[in-house]
Amino acid sequence: HSNCGWNSTTQTECAQALCNASGYGFQGVFVSSSNNPCTSSFVTGSYYFYSMDRDTVVYTSLTNDAQITATCFTTATSPPTTMAPTVMSTMAPVTTTVAITSAPSTSSPTTPAPTAGASCPSACTSCDINGTTATCTACVSGRVLFGGSCVTRVWCRSRTVASGPFVNQTCRCSDRNCFYCAIRATGDECIRCRNGLYLFDSQCIETCPANLTSVGVSLWGRTCTTPFFCRGSRSVRSATTTSTFKCNCPANCHQCSFNPGNGGPAGGIGTNCTKCRDGKFLYNATCNSNCSMAPPSYADYVFGASSYGAECRPAFTCTGGRDENGDRCKCPPSIGGTACNSCDFARGSQVCTRCRSRYLLDGACLRTCPAGYAPVRSLTGIYGWTCDSA
């Protein structure tokens, strides 16, 4: 699997397991291997092998594996206290096949290795032995007991093991509100919650902390996260986020913000709209049919011919596509659109005050002056033409 590593630590573990299975205890030194068991296989078919995932010797047919050679030692009873313990004999190197990613193992590529009586795997502190099979009953620190083996974790999704040597076996997260978790010796780490609860710090909680916002459009997969913007039902990428996720804005709202405290147990909908759609007008972070609720001094501004971005805002002037604050704006098509270089917005009123390559008459830009009017130039260049009565 992706965490597989063939290094000095795993090589030593394999050598010691080989010597222990051969009756010499965990006294062994790694000598060599036929290949890297994380990336390739040495044998095919069913054999006895040592599985590092399960920390036990089993007979089966799996995937990646390697044949290793190790030197095994037996240590005599210590001599008088004035002498250090000495190695009394060194056995000839012995070989077996080891699997790191659920793979077969053997002493040769064609025949199963003979096995001595089983012993407890190194990750077990106690086990039950039945012939050549050892079933763990207690584990060392950092390992969790599952299916008679001591493993680092169990991926449990919807009460079923999702991957690894115990895939499809029954499991259960300790929190009934957790749909997907990693079962570890230190406790469960929830990955995805259900029943309308929010994931925070690997736990399922009813309400997110005050400094975070909640997101989630169903009873599954709700999370607590840092504040963000939602546009068109997807989160907006920021300097700190590279991925996006599904989110919801209020009705008729195209873009909204999820601020600290937004959402809650009712369900992850942004409450602060920043841009409306469907021809609705934005006022006080909500979308409205018109600007009747705004002060009379506010203009009912429509962003060009678009059905997005209409808002109720204080009266202003749009010149060269920018307002007094430098924000983008557009003069409406009814008074000339892009041909209008400068226009004034007020409640129920949009008036062009200067045209570009057109003629200004009664607050709108025309291609030609009508009968009874003559073009008059008040500025040089393409600006400042008006239609005056003859």
Side-chain angles (χ1 to χ4, degrees), residues 86 94 102 126 134 139 142-144 195 205 257 292 318 344 352 367 387 390:
T86 58
V94 295
S102 300
S126 65
C139 302
R143 295 292 185 102
V144 61
N195 299 332
I205 59 177
S257 63
S292 59
C318 180
D344 294 332
C352 187
R367 289 182 178 275
C387 294

Side-chain angles (χ1 to χ4, degrees), residues 61-74:
S61 173
L62 296 171
T63 52
N64 293 352
D65 59 81
Q67 176 177 276
I68 71 166
T69 301
T71 300
C72 299
F73 302 94
T74 58

Side-chain angles (χ1 to χ4, degrees), residues 1-305:
H1 50 70
S2 59
N3 294 327
C4 182
W6 189 232
N7 49 45
S8 59
T9 300
T10 53
Q11 289 167 356
T12 298
E13 181 178 346
C14 291
Q16 292 177 348
L18 167 60
C19 293
N20 182 57
S22 300
Y24 300 107
F26 292 99
Q27 300 293 327
V29 177
F30 175 81
V31 176
S32 63
S33 65
S34 59
N35 56 280
N36 183 342
C38 291
T39 59
S40 60
S41 179
F42 181 66
V43 296
T44 59
S46 297
Y47 298 94
Y48 285 103
F49 70 93
Y50 169 67
S51 170
M52 292 189 65
D53 283 340
R54 301 179 63 176
D55 194 19
T56 186
V57 176
V58 295
Y59 182 81
T60 188
S61 173
L62 296 171
T63 52
N64 293 352
D65 59 81
Q67 176 177 276
I68 71 166
T69 301
T71 300
C72 299
F73 302 94
T74 58
T75 303
T77 303
S78 300
T81 56
T82 55
M83 297 180 60
T86 58
V87 174
M88 299 301 294
S89 64
T90 301
M91 307 301 295
V94 295
T95 62
T96 193
T97 303
V98 59
I100 288 187
T101 54
S102 300
S105 167
T106 185
S107 58
S108 71
T110 57
T111 59
T115 59
S119 59
C120 287
S122 58
C124 301
T125 56
S126 65
C127 68
D128 293 332
I129 297 176
N130 183 11
T132 60
T133 302
T135 302
C136 294
T137 56
C139 302
V140 298
S141 176
R143 295 292 185 102
V144 61
L145 182 64
F146 190 89
S149 297
C150 294
V151 295
T152 55
R153 73 184 69 83
V154 177
W155 299 107
C156 184
R157 182 191 289 119
S158 187
R159 299 185 180 181
T160 303
V161 178
S163 61
F166 303 103
V167 65
N168 294 329
Q169 293 189 25
T170 301
C171 60
R172 178 173 294 184
C173 300
S174 59
D175 184 352
R176 67 181 184 87
N177 295 307
C178 182
F179 172 74
Y180 183 23
C181 70
I183 301 174
R184 300 178 183 270
T186 54
D188 291 2
E189 296 179 6
C190 191
I191 301 170
R192 184 178 176 86
C193 297
R194 60 182 177 182
N195 299 332
L197 272 68
Y198 295 91
L199 180 66
F200 174 69
D201 197 21
S202 300
Q203 297 180 350
C204 298
I205 59 177
E206 293 185 355
T207 305
C208 293
N211 64 321
L212 299 180
T213 186
S214 57
V215 61
V217 296
S218 72
L219 296 179
W220 301 76
R222 295 185 181 185
T223 60
C224 299
T225 185
T226 53
F228 66 96
F229 279 97
C230 179
R231 181 188 301 138
S233 299
R234 299 294 299 181
S235 62
V236 179
R237 288 186 176 90
S238 66
T240 57
T241 59
T242 57
S243 60
T244 64
F245 47 86
K246 191 173 182 181
C247 53
N248 270 0
C249 289
N252 305 123
C253 180
H254 175 64
Q255 178 175 294
C256 61
S257 63
F258 280 69
N259 296 334
N262 281 175
I269 296 178
T271 56
N272 296 276
C273 190
T274 57
K275 186 176 184 179
C276 297
R277 56 182 174 85
D278 304 328
K280 303 301 181 181
F281 291 84
L282 179 68
Y283 180 68
N284 280 348
T286 61
C287 297
N288 308 274
S289 298
N290 52 55
C291 293
S292 59
M293 77 298 298
S297 60
Y298 275 51
D300 41 3
Y301 168 65
V302 178
F303 190 75

Side-chain angles (χ1 to χ4, degrees), residues 304-330:
S306 174
S307 62
Y308 293 82
E311 59 179 324
C312 306
R313 55 175 296 184
F316 70 100
T317 298
C318 180
T319 302
R322 300 286 176 176
D323 63 12
E324 295 91 340
N325 298 321
D327 296 327
R328 289 184 60 204
C329 56
K330 287 184 178 181

Side-chain angles (χ1 to χ4, degrees), residues 370-382:
Y373 288 84
V376 176
R377 191 178 207 179
S378 60
L379 298 173
T380 59
I382 61 176

